[in-house]
Amino acid sequence: MSIFRALADKTFFFHGRNFNTRIIVPTVLVLIALVIATNIFYFTRFSHYSRQLIDDKLNANINSLNQYLTECKNNTKAAAVSMAINPSAIRAIANKDIPEISRIFTAAKELYGITYFTITDNKGIVLLRTHGYEKRGDSVAHIQNISDALNGKVSSYFEEAVVAKVTCHTGAPVYSANNKLLGIISAGIRFDTDQAVDDLKKILNSEITILYGDTRVSTTITHDGHRIVDTKLDPIMTKTIIENKHEYHGEAELLGTKYDLFYKPLLNPKNSVFATISLALPETELIFHSKKTLEYGLLLGLFGLLASSMLLYYIISSISAPIIKLSTEMQQVANGNLEIAINADREDEIGLLSKSLRRVIYTVRKLIEGINNMITEHQQGNTNYRMDTGSFNGEYKILADHITELANFSMKDQLTGMLNRRAFNNRIELEWSRSVREKTPLSILIMDIDKFKKYNDTFGHLQGDMALRAVAKVLTNTIKRSLDVVARWGGEEFIVLLPGTDPEGARAVGELIRVRIENLVIPCTDQQAKNVTISIGAYSMVPQKDDTVDKFIIMADAALYQAKEAGRNRVVVS
């Protein structure tokens, strides 16, 4: 029978006894048909595809540009604020030590990913510019971020400066230890230099142009080997972008080349457009390369298909059986059967794959076992238990570390860093069972910061968080025994569990905590110290089998209520 008669016989395709042929012949024919149909379809739709490709790329670059501008503000703010509290920088500014200021801030530029610092005295007179050493002694108090900083405010703007025309900068005040204004640090990122646009082009893979007003001051677009700076923006676009403050996304021709363009206006503190950033993709080059890539890809696909079909038969005939078997075993593993025995006696690639699968199964089983052990330990109250991740490698170790950290994270209160309510509930069950078994006393302290809502409303939630952290630190430093448990119960409430402690011991610990909180000085952002007091309810008992943890906690909570009713800032032992 000739090959043509065989191809014409559908039994040869689908009902023949030759498994390899049943796979190869229809697969190759279908793939050939798909390649031809795809070729025809894409060439008829190529114009739309190219247009969409350019739009998608420009939209992605626009998103990246917006993210980059946000990062510029964040980086300049981080640089200005961090250096404003740097002891060496504060000392140098206080002494007006220009060489030391230059050394410190020149080194700090790269650390924070910015391009310059401007340092002034407390009247806005420039002590040093890292981007213009020779120009100092002038006043920059009129620049908005400097002006805000002179008034004690940290602010970030896109704004014109003295040396840098188009820049993003943040100003921060520098204070002495006695809260005296020493000067201003302004951290900035310039956009109006060749280096800046070249760097941004590498990030966004687009031609970049910076316009100051309606004039191009820096660009990556060249003509006859020169950058096309000092050229003007089209008047129609000037009206849209600068006067109407609108972004522009469209097509335009520049020096004979058609570009897909995006203009983003930059607003200064007065809410007027002082500069513009432009992204440009040359359409002709992109379409040309995309078309050539498509053509070459389709041709190579056809030739590769013909060559691969000749090899396909040989490959499938030698590995189809063990692959099917291994595939079945892998399917069982995928369905959750980790007890399956994988035969790895072969020495070829299938054997290596089988051995790798066995190692994967072993690693996953070990990982699951470690997770289960960690969950069990945490449920039993051992909140300090961590899974041993040292026996894992690569991504498995990263996964094991992350799971361990996540489990530990779930046991911690994120504001104060102490145990949370969930972890405390696990621990109290453990200590309760021990006290019942050993017939030893167990004490509990529930405490609540007095009038905390009023404290929050008066000083703000940030100060309230600071107070919570300060109280938590006192509790953590006071409760020292390894068996004792201290946790955040919720809101402004904290809870302490004292195994082996009688009522007098509970009262003593409560009084120690109360006094230390009463004497606690809490720092405040407005430089005025704030104080809080705490009310504590305590309850002690020797638990019996019929007693419950809930009743134990309720009794302590009732004592806390009595402490508040009696005037607060006291310990009541039930």
Side-chain angles (χ1 to χ4, degrees):
M1 180 184 295
S2 69
I3 185 63
F4 298 103
R5 291 180 59 192
L7 294 174
D9 187 355
K10 67 177 182 178
T11 303
F12 181 80
F13 291 151
F14 305 108
H15 304 289
R17 300 176 64 182
N18 191 320
F19 174 79
N20 300 335
T21 305
R22 294 205 315 268
I23 294 177
I24 295 172
V25 175
T27 300
V28 170
L29 292 178
V30 169
L31 288 176
I32 291 174
L34 286 175
V35 168
I36 295 174
T38 301
N39 194 2
I40 296 173
F41 174 78
Y42 273 105
F43 271 96
T44 57
R45 296 292 304 277
F46 187 76
S47 176
H48 172 75
Y49 167 79
S50 298
R51 178 72 264 160
Q52 187 64 45
L53 183 65
I54 295 172
D55 288 343
D56 289 347
K57 182 176 180 181
L58 188 59
N59 286 330
N61 289 346
I62 292 171
N63 292 333
S64 297
L65 174 62
N66 291 329
Q67 182 179 354
Y68 173 79
L69 294 177
T70 301
E71 290 176 355
C72 286
K73 280 193 172 183
N74 293 339
N75 288 350
T76 59
K77 185 175 183 180
V81 172
S82 297
M83 294 305 293
I85 59 175
N86 182 291
S88 299
I90 294 173
R91 187 162 50 251
I93 293 172
N95 297 330
K96 296 186 179 180
D97 186 344
I98 303 303
E100 182 65 6
I101 293 174
S102 176
R103 184 191 68 81
I104 292 172
F105 285 90
T106 300
K109 288 191 301 181
E110 184 175 351
L111 175 64
Y112 291 103
I114 63 171
T115 53
Y116 71 88
F117 281 102
T118 300
I119 299 90
T120 80
D121 63 12
N122 59 3
K123 298 185 181 301
I125 304 302
V126 175
L127 298 176
L128 180 77
R129 290 183 174 92
T130 60
H131 57 306
Y133 295 101
E134 72 286 347
K135 186 172 179 59
R136 61 175 181 263
D138 55 313
S139 174
V140 290
H142 62 285
I143 299 177
Q144 191 64 47
N145 81 105
I146 302 291
S147 176
D148 289 351
L150 288 171
N151 292 317
K153 177 184 176 183
V154 176
S155 59
S156 302
Y157 300 105
F158 293 102
E159 189 177 7
E160 176 186 358
V162 174
V163 175
K165 296 300 182 184
V166 184
T167 181
C168 171
H169 51 203
T170 298
V174 180
Y175 293 102
S176 66
N178 58 3
N179 203 31
K180 178 182 178 182
L181 181 65
L182 299 176
I184 306 300
I185 295 174
S186 177
I189 295 177
R190 296 187 65 174
F191 304 122
D192 57 350
T193 65
D194 291 345
Q195 183 65 49
V197 293
D198 289 343
D199 291 342
L200 193 53
K201 178 178 180 179
K202 294 176 183 177
I203 296 173
L204 301 180
N205 197 25
S206 299
E207 300 293 347
I208 307 296
T209 299
I210 305 297
L211 296 102
Y212 176 60
D214 64 348
T215 304
R216 296 177 179 89
V217 294
S218 57
T219 182
T220 58
I221 301 175
T222 60
H223 181 66
D224 293 334
H226 300 284
R227 300 176 190 257
I228 56 168
V229 294
D230 299 326
T231 56
K232 297 290 185 179
L233 186 65
D234 182 271
I236 297 177
M237 293 186 184
T238 299
K239 181 177 180 60
T240 299
I241 299 166
I242 298 179
E243 296 180 15
N244 297 333
K245 306 177 186 178
H246 292 162
E247 295 180 350
Y248 175 83
H249 185 177
E251 300 176 24
E253 188 171 304
L254 186 62
L255 299 177
T257 300
K258 192 174 183 182
Y259 289 91
D260 206 54
L261 294 168
F262 172 74
Y263 288 93
K264 182 177 183 63
L266 297 180
L267 298 177
N268 62 19
K270 297 179 181 179
N271 200 34
S272 61
V273 177
F274 79 102
T276 306
I277 298 180
S278 169
L279 305 181
L281 291 177
E283 294 184 3
T284 52
E285 182 179 356
L286 182 60
I287 292 175
F288 173 79
H289 288 296
S290 299
K291 183 176 180 180
K292 287 299 179 184
T293 300
L294 179 62
E295 291 175 352
Y296 293 149
L298 291 174
L299 288 175
L300 288 174
L302 288 173
F303 284 112
L305 181 63
L306 292 175
S308 62
S309 63
M310 298 173 63
L311 297 174
L312 190 60
Y313 180 85
Y314 171 77
I315 296 171
I316 291 180
S317 63
S318 61
I319 65 174
S320 57
I323 281 182
I324 291 174
K325 182 176 182 299
L326 184 60
S327 176
T328 302
E329 294 169 341
M330 292 177 69
Q331 185 64 39
Q332 294 188 49
V333 173
N335 290 333
N337 180 11
L338 299 179
E339 302 300 326
I340 186 172
I342 305 295
N343 184 359
D345 295 336
R346 298 170 62 102
E347 297 298 328
D348 57 6
E349 290 79 1
I350 301 299
L352 293 175
L353 183 59
S354 300
K355 292 174 182 176
S356 298
L357 181 59
R358 286 175 63 174
R359 289 197 296 271
V360 169
I361 293 173
Y362 171 78
T363 302
V364 172
R365 287 166 61 179
K366 189 174 180 181
L367 182 61
I368 292 174
E369 180 183 357
I371 294 171
N372 289 335
N373 288 340
M374 183 167 59
I375 292 173
T376 301
E377 290 290 336
H378 284 180
Q379 289 175 341
Q380 292 177 353
N382 186 5
T383 54
N384 293 323
Y385 180 86
R386 295 176 67 89
M387 180 170 60
D388 180 16
T389 62
S391 58
F392 298 102
N393 297 312
E395 294 294 331
Y396 290 111
K397 187 177 189 310
I398 294 174
L399 177 61
D401 286 336
H402 286 176
I403 291 173
T404 302
E405 290 302 319
L406 183 61
N408 186 58
F409 184 84
S410 69
M411 295 288 112
K412 298 290 185 181
D413 173 65
Q414 299 311 302
L415 177 64
T416 63
M418 57 173 39
L419 294 180
N420 59 20
R421 187 165 184 162
R422 175 185 178 186
F424 180 85
N425 288 337
N426 290 343
R427 284 294 299 274
I428 196 172
E429 292 291 344
L430 178 68
E431 298 302 334
W432 182 270
S433 299
R434 180 183 290 120
S435 292
V436 170
R437 185 173 61 254
E438 298 178 0
K439 296 181 175 53
T440 55
L442 187 65
S443 295
I444 189 171
L445 308 177
I446 297 181
M447 55 204 71
D448 185 272
I449 300 177
D450 295 329
K451 298 181 180 179
F452 189 70
K453 183 180 185 303
K454 182 178 179 181
Y455 186 92
N456 253 348
D457 293 342
T458 303
F459 303 115
H461 289 284
L462 290 179
Q463 181 66 28
D465 289 347
M466 188 179 296
L468 289 171
R469 284 192 290 267
V471 170
K473 185 175 181 181
V474 170
L475 292 175
T476 303
N477 291 336
T478 303
I479 306 302
K480 294 294 188 180
R481 297 191 311 172
S482 60
L483 288 179
D484 294 343
V485 183
V486 58
R488 186 180 179 191
W489 190 240
E492 65 271 23
E493 288 189 321
F494 299 86
I495 193 163
V496 175
L497 186 67
L498 303 170
T501 304
D502 58 18
E504 289 307 314
R507 182 185 300 277
V509 173
E511 276 297 326
L512 180 60
I513 292 172
R514 186 193 67 77
V515 171
R516 289 186 176 181
I517 296 298
E518 186 179 35
N519 295 330
L520 176 64
V521 177
I522 302 174
C524 183
T525 53
D526 63 6
Q527 308 303 315
Q528 179 182 355
K530 305 296 184 294
N531 298 88
V532 298
T533 61
I534 197 163
S535 299
I536 302 175
Y539 183 67
S540 297
M541 67 181 297
V542 178
Q544 307 298 319
K545 290 185 178 180
D546 295 335
D547 293 325
T548 65
V549 172
D550 289 343
K551 180 180 177 182
F552 184 51
I553 295 175
I554 288 172
M555 295 300 293
D557 198 49
L560 173 61
Y561 179 78
Q562 294 176 25
K564 287 184 171 292
E565 287 294 306
R568 297 184 173 87
N569 191 23
R570 64 191 65 235
V571 179
V572 172
V573 180
S574 176

